Structures are given as C-alpha cells and as structure tokens.
C-alpha cells in the first residue's frame, strides 16, 4: 500500500538546500612512478626495537624498482651489506582502485614469506602506511612513511608503537639516491630484474 505524503510549501525566506556531490576520490595508481629505476641506498636499522636499545646497524647497497600493470603495482628489490651482514628483501606494492589505497607487502630472503601488508596512500607528496602486527608476543602498530620525494632522492622510515600510536620509535631509515646511468626506466615486467641484477653483481 502506498501512502501519499502531503506536499509542504517552501518558505521563500529560507535558503534552499541541495545535496552536494561527494568529491571524487583521488586516483593514486601512479603514486610510485617517481621510484621506478635504480637507486643507491643507505640504510640504518635499529637492531632491537621496543627494548630501549639504541644500537643501530648501517648498510650500503642498491634498490631496484620496476613498474607492473602500467603503474598499478610495482616490485622493489633491495640488496645491502654492512658490518652486521647482508640483507636481501623485496616489497610488492599493489594499488586497490576501489579503496584508492596501496598495500605494501614486504619479504626478506631469510623468511621467504610476505609480511602483514601496511596500507595507506599519499597526500601532499608524503606517503603514510599502517598495520598491526605481533612483536615478542605483543600487538604493536607499524607505520611506514615515504617523504622528501624529489626526482633523484627519497626518504623512508619505519616506526613501531606499543602504546596505541601515542608514541613511535623509528627502527628503519633508508635514504635513496637515483643512479643516473639507467636510461630506460619504463620496463614493466619483473623479468628485466634478472639480467640487470646479474650484471651489477658481476661488476
């Protein structure tokens, strides 16, 4: 049964109201295009996070980033060495066109599995990504920040919080500088990694 509602006369003295359209979500599928290429990496790592320790280890090496799916994903491969040893790691970044967010999925060669993804996006030239993980049996928050982005440099920081985000302890700092002798930055398939990495290892 349909019940009709009486029409209400509009008061000419009252301002008319209209529903404002929701602003379109920002399309961030090319947010990581700045990073495509080869980079010299200086890495500092806090050896024992959230223990009160202030012992850091330093590493030097190379980062390779290749575009996948026309920028909607990319693959980063990191290889660095320092007094505390050798680190081989990768990060698979995936863009979700529905949520307009990125998920950053990290793995190292010792573990061989992808970690819990950090999820977020970029605003005003700064990327922030968050997740919740377990560390030493405690639930912690993880924050990954990408900042100071230029055509030839970028800064990366990972921080942990064990008090719900009230305070943060930085435990991973990487500064990247572009290697300028790579003319072709448009490769899109991860297969290009293998010959490039092999050449650098043999140099």
């Amino acid at each position: 049964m349909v019940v009709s509602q009486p029409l209400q006369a509009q008061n000419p003295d009252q301002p008319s109201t209209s529903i404002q359209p929701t602003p379109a979500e920002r399309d961030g599928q090319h947010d990581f295009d700045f990073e495509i290429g080869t980079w010299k990496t200086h890495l500092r790592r806090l050896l024992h996070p959230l223990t009160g320790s202030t012992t850091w280890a330093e590493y030097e090496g190379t980062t390779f980033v290749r575009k996948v799916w026309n920028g909607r994903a990319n693959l980063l491969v990191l290889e660095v060495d320092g007094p505390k040893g050798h680190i081989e790691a990768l990060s698979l970044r995936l863009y979700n066109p529905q949520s307009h967010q990125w998920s950053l999925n990290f793995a190292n060669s010792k573990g061989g599995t992808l970690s819990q993804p950090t999820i977020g996006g970029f605003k005003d030239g700064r990327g922030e990504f968050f997740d919740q993980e377990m560390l030493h049996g405690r639930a912690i928050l993880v924050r990954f920040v990408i900042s100071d982005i230029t055509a030839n440099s970028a800064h990366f920081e990972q921080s942990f919080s064990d008090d719900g985000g009230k305070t943060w302890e930085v435990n991973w700092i990487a500064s990247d500088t572009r290697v300028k002798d790579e003319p072709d930055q448009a490769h899109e398939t991860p297969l290009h990694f293998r010959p490039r990495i092999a050449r650098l290892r043999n140099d």
Side-chain angles (χ1 to χ4, degrees):
M1 180 175 65
V2 178
V3 179
S4 61
Q5 298 293 332
L7 295 176
Q8 294 182 353
Q10 182 174 349
N11 186 339
D13 295 330
Q14 290 181 341
S16 60
T17 59
S18 61
I19 299 176
Q20 298 297 320
T22 302
E25 290 281 355
R26 177 180 168 276
D27 183 3
Q29 66 176 307
H30 293 288
D31 282 339
F32 278 99
D33 282 5
F34 77 92
E35 202 183 2
I36 305 305
T38 304
W39 302 78
K40 179 180 178 182
T41 298
H42 176 76
L43 172 65
R44 297 181 66 229
R45 183 172 70 93
L46 186 63
L47 296 182
H48 306 289
L50 298 180
T51 64
S53 172
T54 58
T55 303
W56 289 78
E58 299 203 16
Y59 305 80
E60 297 283 348
T62 307
T63 297
F64 309 88
V65 185
R66 288 293 180 269
K67 186 186 296 187
V68 183
W69 299 339
N70 193 33
R72 289 177 289 117
N74 62 81
L75 182 65
L76 176 150
V77 175
L78 168 73
E79 188 167 350
V80 293
D81 291 280
K84 288 296 183 179
H86 180 72
I87 297 176
E88 288 182 311
L90 64 82
S91 181
L92 175 63
R93 288 84 162 260
L94 302 171
Y95 183 68
N96 185 325
Q98 280 74 46
S99 66
H100 300 272
Q101 291 181 310
W102 285 87
S103 64
L104 313 186
N105 305 270
F106 183 84
N108 64 56
S109 59
K110 292 183 179 180
T113 59
L114 291 175
S115 67
Q116 175 81 13
T118 53
I119 297 176
F122 287 81
K123 183 178 181 180
D124 299 326
R126 175 185 171 94
E128 289 196 358
F129 309 86
F130 297 88
D131 78 274
Q132 186 174 24
E133 298 180 11
M134 299 297 294
L135 179 69
H136 306 311
R138 293 184 297 167
I140 65 167
L141 296 178
V142 179
R143 179 180 68 187
F144 189 71
V145 175
I146 305 175
S147 62
D148 300 333
I149 300 170
T150 73
N152 297 305
S153 63
H155 185 80
F156 306 84
E157 285 191 4
Q158 177 182 267
S159 303
F160 290 166
S161 174
D162 60 0
D163 58 9
K166 295 178 182 178
T167 61
W168 294 90
E169 180 186 72
V170 178
N171 58 66
W172 175 284
I173 302 172
S175 298
D176 281 7
T177 304
R178 185 180 297 280
V179 176
K180 296 184 179 181
D181 62 351
E182 187 186 39
D184 182 8
Q185 299 176 7
H187 297 321
E188 293 196 8
T189 62
L191 296 177
H192 288 87
F193 271 116
R194 296 182 181 178
R196 178 63 178 169
I197 294 174
R199 286 199 300 273
L200 289 175
R201 285 177 174 169
N202 294 330
D203 288 347

